[in-house]
Amino acid sequence: MRKFEPHARHTWGAAQAWLLRAEITPMADPSASAHRTACCPMPSHVATLLAALDTSGPQSVGQFGRFQLRSAFQPIYSLSHMRLVGHEALVRAQDENGQPVPPPTLFAACRDAAELAHCDRLSRLVHLSNHHRQGRQGEWLFLNLHPDVFTRLASEEPRGYLRQVADHFRLAPDNLVLELLESQVHESDAFTEAVARARHDGALIAIDDFGAGHSNFDRVWRLQPDIVKLDRGLVARGAREPRIRRVVAQMVSLLHECGAMVLMEGIETPEEAMMALECDADLVQGYHFGRPQAELMPARHMPATLQACYEGLSQKRARQRQTHREQVAPYLNAIGHAGVLLSAGRGIQEACRSFLSLPGAEFCYVLDARGYQIGHNLWAAEDRPKKGALLGPLDDAQGACWSRRPYFRRAMEAINRVQITRPYRTMNGRHQCMTASMAFRCLHDGVEEIRVVCGDVRWDEASPAPAIMP
């Protein structure tokens, strides 16, 4: 297990004002520096920050009291493009003896709010300067920003300020991604205006740590972020627990419907990387793909672990399809046999006897051409609900309409062909089930009708989830 990257979530407060306030000229090309300084005069407090910045070496270093501040950049990759698309900037501090200092210790050493603000502004300067000096274009730079400070963009700064800051560092505004902790997103007009101004200047908005604590989709609907970073805890649990993995996949799908790309961060193992692929995440970040380091990864870099993910996914899906076919074949054959017998005028008990004798088979039922259930459920003897059982009010399904369900729609689209659903939550307990179905023609009072025979099968959580259903 990797150690937590404490710097990635600074001790936030007034210190976060650097990104919105510091106007620093590029470290190279004196003529360009003079031109940009003339266009956007530097605030007086920036001179103090510049004096604390050493740009004589290969990397810009900020001097804050007895501490030296440097940058580390962790790569971010697109799963679909299979290459590098950006970096998140992280602070690295050392004391006078060259010993690493965790960010919480660094910020705790600040004696007051003013000193804390100076330290944090200097760290922003270090990140932007080091990124600029490596001359990278066409990639995202993720910078963490507290919502309180972000709000000042609307109340204290002129329009176009972020564009000016990006211009100073020769960074295309749309390459700048502002990360806001989801739990601290404000519900205020000033915050909404700050979002509008940031977007007007070309910056992207990312919500960080979504899924931690009291996360809710209402913030996503209101803020409409470009990127949502899922909390590391969701990633770790989803890789271990099939039920959580299904929830995460649905969460990713809903975030896509909200118009956001999804980044899974903190990926440390092949299993977590595989889950990101299976859940249809767009971007990934974590030790499994690349550790934070002073140098940016080469342009369009693709780590071997990313290629291995796709190879592993192909093999896993092939195994799943084979296993799935073997597991469901008896149920498909049995429900098909039931449909043939029902089409010939046999009774439901005789027709479904073979299906209900299979392990895990729960009950069978028949629907008319509109999806309404004809008669009651025919239960396997051992699965028949006891009186007063859980969800008892739902026991009587006669006349229920199942026309919305995939097992009905797909059966009606392919008469005489057996279908089976993905696992879903049954209405007859707390477990998951799959439904096998087949539409067939039969005579009723001398008139040909179409009906659908269905059979529910209890799905074992430990079974491999089918990648592609037949």
Side-chain angles (χ1 to χ4, degrees):
M1 178 68 69
R2 70 171 172 85
K3 294 182 179 178
F4 173 61
E5 286 288 343
H7 112 285
R9 312 290 175 262
H10 284 326
T11 301
W12 300 108
Q16 288 296 53
W18 156 245
L19 178 61
L20 304 179
R21 290 188 172 278
E23 300 179 10
I24 308 301
T25 55
M27 298 300 138
D29 191 350
S31 62
S33 177
H35 168 72
R36 296 173 190 275
T37 302
C39 293
C40 305
M42 292 189 301
S44 59
H45 69 268
V46 173
T48 303
L49 293 171
L50 284 173
L53 186 66
D54 180 5
T55 62
S56 61
Q59 186 184 35
S60 298
V61 180
Q63 189 68 46
F64 177 70
R66 64 188 184 91
F67 303 109
Q68 288 189 336
L69 309 183
R70 292 178 170 81
S71 297
F73 299 98
Q74 186 166 34
I76 295 172
Y77 295 93
S78 166
L79 287 175
S80 296
H81 296 81
M82 298 181 67
R83 61 174 170 81
L84 181 77
V85 292
H87 295 81
E88 180 178 2
L90 310 171
V91 71
R92 292 292 184 263
Q94 292 181 340
D95 62 19
E96 66 273 22
N97 297 318
Q99 296 300 310
V101 178
T105 303
L106 169 68
F107 289 106
C110 299
R111 292 168 294 185
D112 53 36
E115 198 167 271
L116 179 63
H118 179 83
C119 178
D120 192 77
R121 287 171 180 167
L122 183 59
S123 71
R124 296 290 149 258
L125 168 61
V126 170
H127 294 329
L128 290 168
S129 175
N130 281 316
H131 185 271
H132 162 73
R133 292 181 66 178
Q134 298 190 52
R136 188 64 61 81
Q137 297 293 333
E139 296 175 0
W140 286 317
L141 175 62
F142 287 69
L143 293 173
N144 293 281
L145 190 65
H146 192 280
D148 285 341
V149 180
F150 179 71
T151 303
R152 297 177 188 174
L153 180 64
S155 60
E156 300 179 9
E157 305 295 353
R159 289 187 179 275
Y161 194 85
L162 280 179
R163 186 175 293 275
Q164 293 175 355
V165 172
D167 185 58
H168 273 302
F169 291 95
R170 297 184 179 178
L171 181 69
D174 58 2
N175 288 168
L176 185 63
V177 182
L178 307 181
E179 287 194 33
L180 308 171
L181 282 173
E182 189 265 344
S183 61
Q184 299 180 15
V185 169
H186 291 177
E187 298 182 15
S188 66
D189 293 340
F191 187 87
T192 301
E193 175 63 18
V195 171
R197 288 198 181 190
R199 287 207 165 104
H200 181 267
D201 287 345
L204 275 65
I205 303 297
I207 284 183
D208 196 12
D209 283 351
F210 188 83
H214 301 287
S215 293
N216 67 71
F217 277 91
D218 182 61
R219 294 190 183 104
V220 177
W221 286 114
R222 287 188 297 102
L223 185 58
Q224 295 185 343
D226 302 285
I227 299 171
V228 173
K229 301 182 75 172
L230 294 188
D231 178 63
R232 155 71 189 161
L234 279 177
V235 176
R237 288 193 62 189
R240 297 191 305 265
E241 304 175 39
R243 184 172 65 89
I244 300 300
R245 182 162 56 250
R246 292 196 300 273
V247 171
V248 172
Q250 293 299 316
M251 184 181 294
V252 171
S253 178
L254 185 53
L255 288 169
H256 284 161
E257 290 293 325
C258 294
M261 291 184 290
V262 177
L263 189 157
M264 287 192 181
E265 61 180 337
I267 292 180
E268 300 174 353
T269 67
E271 292 75 20
E272 292 169 358
M274 186 69 68
M275 188 197 73
L277 279 175
E278 292 180 311
C279 292
D280 199 25
D282 303 287
L283 310 170
V284 288
Q285 175 184 0
Y287 278 22
H288 186 67
F289 299 108
R291 292 174 176 266
Q293 60 183 27
E295 297 79 19
L296 301 178
M297 283 291 187
R300 304 182 68 85
H301 176 256
M302 182 186 72
T305 49
L306 184 52
Q307 179 65 43
C309 284
Y310 273 97
E311 294 173 356
L313 180 63
S314 297
Q315 296 171 4
K316 181 177 180 179
R317 284 181 169 171
R319 292 194 302 270
Q320 285 179 331
R321 285 192 292 267
Q322 180 61 31
T323 301
H324 177 66
R325 283 193 290 266
E326 294 173 354
Q327 287 180 333
V328 304
Y331 303 95
L332 295 176
N333 292 336
I335 208 69
H337 181 63
V340 171
L341 293 180
L342 289 169
S343 179
R346 305 289 183 86
I348 185 173
Q349 291 190 347
E350 177 185 355
C352 294
R353 183 178 298 120
S354 177
F355 180 91
L356 294 175
S357 67
L358 295 172
E362 295 186 295
F363 57 90
C364 291
Y365 49 105
V366 176
L367 313 179
D368 66 18
R370 297 181 301 159
Y372 287 88
Q373 183 165 333
I374 302 171
H376 300 283
N377 294 334
L378 179 64
W379 288 84
E382 62 271 20
D383 283 311
R384 186 180 302 278
K386 298 180 176 58
K387 188 174 182 179
L390 179 70
L391 306 183
L394 303 178
D395 283 349
D396 186 1
Q398 183 173 5
C401 183
W402 307 111
S403 62
R404 300 173 299 159
R405 298 302 177 99
Y407 52 79
F408 172 77
R409 299 198 312 269
R410 293 175 62 186
M412 291 296 292
E413 292 169 358
I415 296 174
N416 294 324
R417 292 187 59 184
V418 179
Q419 311 291 329
I420 193 163
T421 67
R422 293 178 180 274
Y424 66 95
R425 206 272 195 194
T426 181
M427 296 186 71
N428 294 282
R430 291 195 175 105
H431 58 283
Q432 299 276 311
C433 76
M434 294 189 295
T435 299
S437 61
M438 190 183 85
F440 61 93
R441 291 182 173 87
C442 65
L443 291 176
H444 180 69
D445 294 334
V447 178
E448 184 178 82
E449 294 183 354
I450 296 177
R451 294 185 177 179
V452 179
V453 60
C454 306
D456 281 16
V457 182
R458 181 183 291 267
W459 182 62
D460 183 0
E461 290 278 356
S463 299
I468 300 177
M469 287 292 180

